[in-house]
Structure formats: C-alpha cells, structure tokens
Amino acid sequence: MKQILVSGVLGLFLSLFGTPLLIRLLASKGYGQMIRDDGPQAHHSKRGTPTMGGIAFILATLLAYAITKLATGEKPTLSGVLVLFLTVGMGLVGFLDDYIKIVKQRSLGLRAKAKMAGQLIVGIAFAVLAMNFHDSRGQTPASTKLSFTTDFGWSIGPVIFVIWALFMILAMSNGVNLTDGLDGLATGASVMVFAAYTVIGVWQYGQWCGAPVSANGACYEVRDPLDLAVVAAALMGACFGFLWWNTSPAKIFMGDTGSLALGGALAGLAICSRTELLLAILGGLFVLITMSVVIQVGSFRLTGKRVFRMAPLQHHFELKGWSEVLVVVRFWIVQGMCMAVGLGVFYAAWVAAS
C-alpha cells in the first residue's frame, strides 16, 4: 500500500511543478494551439495557448512509477510496464499529430490513415505481449476471455482478443480526445476514472487468488493487481497536478499527446484488471460524448438533419448559452456519478460471488 501512496504523491508533485517548466519551453518555441474555424467562436481567444501538455503528465507518471520502485525496493511487474508502454506509445502517436499541427500549421495534424496506423501498431503490440509471459501461477497480464468485473464465458481466442483489445484502445483514446474540448474537462474526468482503478486494484489485491488464503473461496484472477493500482495512482496524481494549469483559463492544453495517452492508459488498466466492460460505466462521460458524435454524424447522413447544435456534446451546451466553466463542472458531476455507479456495480458483483 505504501507504493500506491508514494506513486500518487510523486505523480502529483512532479506534474504540478514540472508543467510550468513545459509551459515556458513550449511558449518560447511558439508551440501554440491551432483553433478550428468551425468550432465555437469563443474558443478563438485560446489560439496560441501552449499545447502538447500531455508530455508533462506522461513523464510525471513514468518518473513517479520508477522512483516508487527504487524507493520501496519492489520490482516492476509486466502488467504495470505494459500499461505504461501503451500510455507512452499512444502518447507518441498523439505527439506526432500535435507536432505536425504546430510545425506545418495544419489544424488536422496527421493524416487519418497515418494516425490510425500508429494506433494499430501500438495496440497490436500491447495485445500480443499481454497474452504472453506467464507468471509462476500461469497467469498472463491479459485474458482471452471477455470480462465485466471478472472474466466470464469461454475464451474468444488470440485473434479475436487482439481485435477486441484494439477496439477498446481506439474507442477510449478517441473518446478522451473528443472530450478534450474544454479547459480541464478531460483531465478532471480522467482523474476520477484513475481513482476508481486505484480502488479496484487495492480491492483485487486484498481478495487476490495469488494470496495464501482467499476469503470465502472467492478471489480475483488478476496477474498483478497491486502494481496496476500503483500505475493508476501515478496517473491520477499526475493528471491532478496537470489540472492546476489546465483548468479554466487553461495555461496549457494536453493536446492529442495527452488525450491519446490517457485513453490508452484507461484501456490498458481495464484489460489487465479484467474489467473491460465495466470501463464503459466507469468512464461513462467519455462514452456519452463519443455517442453524441456517432448520433450526430449518423443522423446527418441518414436524414440531413442534426440532433445537436454541435458535436461533441459539450459544444452543444456551449451554443445553448452555458458558460465553459458551467459545462465542465456539470460534466464532472456526471462523470462522478458514473464512477460511483461503476464502483458500486464492481462491489455488488463481489458480494454476489462471495
């Protein structure tokens, strides 16, 4: 448990004090945000705000995890390292996208095919590695069974598992990316989901099948639950520190560097903790915002009419007259309720199985 506290506190302070250094560096190089002309007009005042801020909390997370291991004398686990690999890999794809936007002054960044190719390469590498490298109990970081609060049903096989893992990684990465449209919105929502995964990791470790005695015969077949909690705590702390600078009025934006990394981290935690379908509840705000885009595009193509004034959903409420801060706070409340429901479902499933 000491590891969780240390990683969370380190992630917080490294991000809190490291982000201003990144802001000054990016500002000195003129790496400012491009604003799309078809977005809300109020957003044009944000043009030139330093972007690629995801670099700050990615580095803070990596340093927090590494220092925690050195300070406590504990060894890194494959599950923890794989989640960090997925986070960094997706962040690198986002960084290339941001860099092209800034250097070439092209608001759409990487071409769609190139961006998708990068995400696929990182996602496939993660999925293949996660199915291998058994520990002494024969457990791998990921299972080829589907999971809700634990694994269920039959194995879907390695090929379908890779496809499923890719779907989750792409869905969450793009979900966080779509949510990252208002100051602090995606960062604050991510803090809540990482907090939930910290709790889940701690609980799974307390009822772990790898422990000498399992309560009431029921236990969680997860390879490295405690280390997943350490990673989640480091991510939570790092995002919390970044939120100090990212909240309205934002001094820095996370960019695709941050949003893709956060989506990858969420998907990786869900896959390795065997809570894949539960992530749709825990990260309900990201799902809601993604679905608003799907509904908007589908409705326009089928009927020629739009359901919302603008998609993603947060911009619809902006155009209805809600202030940016009002939208963010109310959406945080929605996300908080999703997190609470998700944790409630997780605990209820344990009670039912015990």
Side-chain angles (χ1 to χ4, degrees), residues 70-129:
L70 290 172
T72 60
E74 299 290 340
K75 294 181 179 179
T77 67
L78 183 58
S79 297
V81 170
L82 278 176
V83 173
L84 292 175
F85 163 78
L86 184 57
T87 303
V88 174
M90 297 300 288
L92 180 59
V93 175
F95 172 80
L96 294 174
D97 189 42
D98 288 334
Y99 188 77
I100 289 174
K101 290 177 186 176
I102 293 166
V103 173
K104 294 190 175 182
Q105 295 292 293
R106 192 173 73 205
S107 63
L108 295 178
L110 274 175
R111 300 297 182 190
K113 290 183 179 179
K115 190 173 183 179
M116 178 64 72
Q119 292 176 302
L120 289 176
I121 291 170
V122 174
I124 290 171
F126 167 82
V128 171
L129 290 170

Side-chain angles (χ1 to χ4, degrees), residues 179-228:
T179 305
D180 182 36
L182 301 181
D183 295 353
L185 178 58
T187 309
S190 297
V191 167
M192 297 182 204
V193 188
F194 289 132
Y197 271 109
T198 302
V199 173
I200 287 172
V202 171
W203 180 260
Q204 287 180 332
Y205 181 68
Q207 322 296 332
W208 184 38
C209 293
V213 179
S214 299
N216 301 321
C219 60
Y220 289 101
E221 283 288 2
V222 178
R223 173 168 165 159
D224 306 298
L226 182 60
D227 208 40
L228 290 175

Side-chain angles (χ1 to χ4, degrees), residues 265-284:
L266 291 171
L269 287 169
I271 291 169
C272 291
S273 65
R274 314 291 205 269
T275 56
E276 296 159 0
L277 297 177
L278 185 64
L279 179 59
I281 302 176
L282 291 170

